[in-house]
Amino acid sequence: MTETFDPRALATRLHGLHQAGRQEATSTFALPADLHQAMEVQNLLATADGVSSNAWKVTVSPQGQAVAAPLHPYAEAVSGADIPWYPGLKFETEIAVRLGSDLPIRAGTAYSRTEVVGAISAVHLGAELLVSAVSESGSVSFLLFVADRLGNSGYVLGPTLEKSVVDTVGGTPLKVTHAGRTIYDGPAQHPKGDVLTWLVDYANDGLRPETSLKAGALITTGTLSGAIELTEPGDIDILLGDARLSFSVSKD
């Protein structure tokens, strides 16, 4: 029941499961009753995880509610990136955008896609790693998934791309190898077709924090390759058009 929900207890449990590399079924958790409770847990979990990056993922719930979560651990490939591998770890090729100006919450006229593009100062190739402490991820309780930082377990920022890529990336040849094996070889395809769909939705969400979408924030925009399970540690090499991103996932 709502009055007995303890956000700190849930955050502590999620943190412990991540530390142990374990997953539990949704039915074993006390569930947040609403987005406010889910975000309270997420913030406590981010503190427990030691999140310090100004890097975020955005998506939309099955009910159409825009949500975000911090990316952690965050690394930039130019400095040699190594992300921890855990059983069940999944990988996604993504496009990340850096904001050059604020997108404050505003009433009245919604942000257009053109306005959001105008706020972007840089575009990067990136890779997200995912493993939720919840065995069903968000398929049973999306609010629990929001609390669990939307399943994020790492992000690697790659090279800068032309800004026009946000308009043209769909259909670009994409090849990914992991531990010497090809795990994706086909056109880049975003689930919504447009890589900026979820960012525009989030920009127009009146429930987001006042501190969100400020200049300097990095936002990743959703998979171009689907979510692919990495069954073992190993090096990853991504080739999107002519842009390359390489990094490692390894056991601690």
Side-chain angles (χ1 to χ4, degrees):
M1 293 176 65
T2 305
E3 60 266 30
T4 61
F5 179 75
D6 183 347
R8 193 168 298 278
L10 178 54
T12 298
R13 185 170 176 213
L14 290 169
H15 177 69
L17 287 168
H18 280 290
Q19 293 292 101
R22 292 176 49 228
Q23 297 179 306
E24 298 285 355
T26 302
S27 59
T28 69
F29 292 91
L31 301 180
D34 54 31
L35 183 62
H36 173 77
Q37 287 188 347
M39 290 304 299
E40 188 176 2
V41 176
Q42 187 193 104
N43 292 336
L44 290 165
L45 178 60
T47 299
D49 287 342
V51 175
S52 58
S53 67
N54 187 18
W56 306 85
K57 67 180 292 184
V58 293
T59 190
V60 172
S61 77
Q63 292 74 38
Q65 172 62 51
V67 290
L71 301 172
H72 176 82
Y74 169 80
E76 299 192 355
V78 289
S79 58
D82 193 352
I83 298 290
W85 177 87
Y86 298 100
L89 186 72
K90 292 181 180 178
F91 155 90
E92 297 180 350
T93 302
E94 304 197 353
I95 294 294
V97 300
R98 179 87 63 187
L99 295 183
S101 56
D102 295 352
L103 288 169
I105 295 172
R106 70 183 189 192
T109 310
Y111 284 105
S112 66
R113 186 186 189 279
T114 301
E115 287 177 297
V116 171
V117 171
I120 294 170
S121 60
V123 177
H124 293 261
L125 177 59
E128 184 180 4
L129 289 310
L130 299 127
V131 61
S132 177
V134 184
S135 55
E136 303 93 348
S137 296
S139 63
V140 177
S141 170
F142 192 79
L143 288 173
L144 181 60
F145 192 52
V146 170
D148 194 29
R149 293 200 294 106
L150 294 171
N152 175 260
S153 62
Y155 197 83
V156 181
L157 190 71
T160 306
L161 307 173
E162 292 292 330
K163 188 173 173 179
S164 59
V165 161
V166 297
D167 300 319
T168 63
V169 70
T172 302
L174 172 61
K175 184 174 183 180
V176 183
T177 60
H178 170 243
R181 294 179 295 107
T182 299
I183 59 172
Y184 187 89
D185 190 359
Q189 294 178 301
H190 188 273
K192 292 297 182 182
D194 178 6
V195 296
L196 295 184
T197 296
W198 291 328
L199 177 54
V200 174
D201 287 344
Y202 190 64
N204 288 316
D205 176 41
L207 298 177
R208 65 181 169 94
E210 295 280 353
T211 54
S212 60
L213 300 186
K214 298 288 190 183
L218 184 85
I219 298 99
T220 196
T221 58
T223 185
L224 300 174
S225 59
I228 304 166
E229 185 165 350
L230 304 179
T231 56
E232 60 181 327
D235 294 338
I236 289 180
D237 184 71
I238 304 166
L239 189 62
L240 176 68
D242 297 325
R244 171 165 260 126
L245 168 56
S246 300
F247 62 98
S248 299
V249 289
S250 59
K251 270 189 170 179
D252 284 341

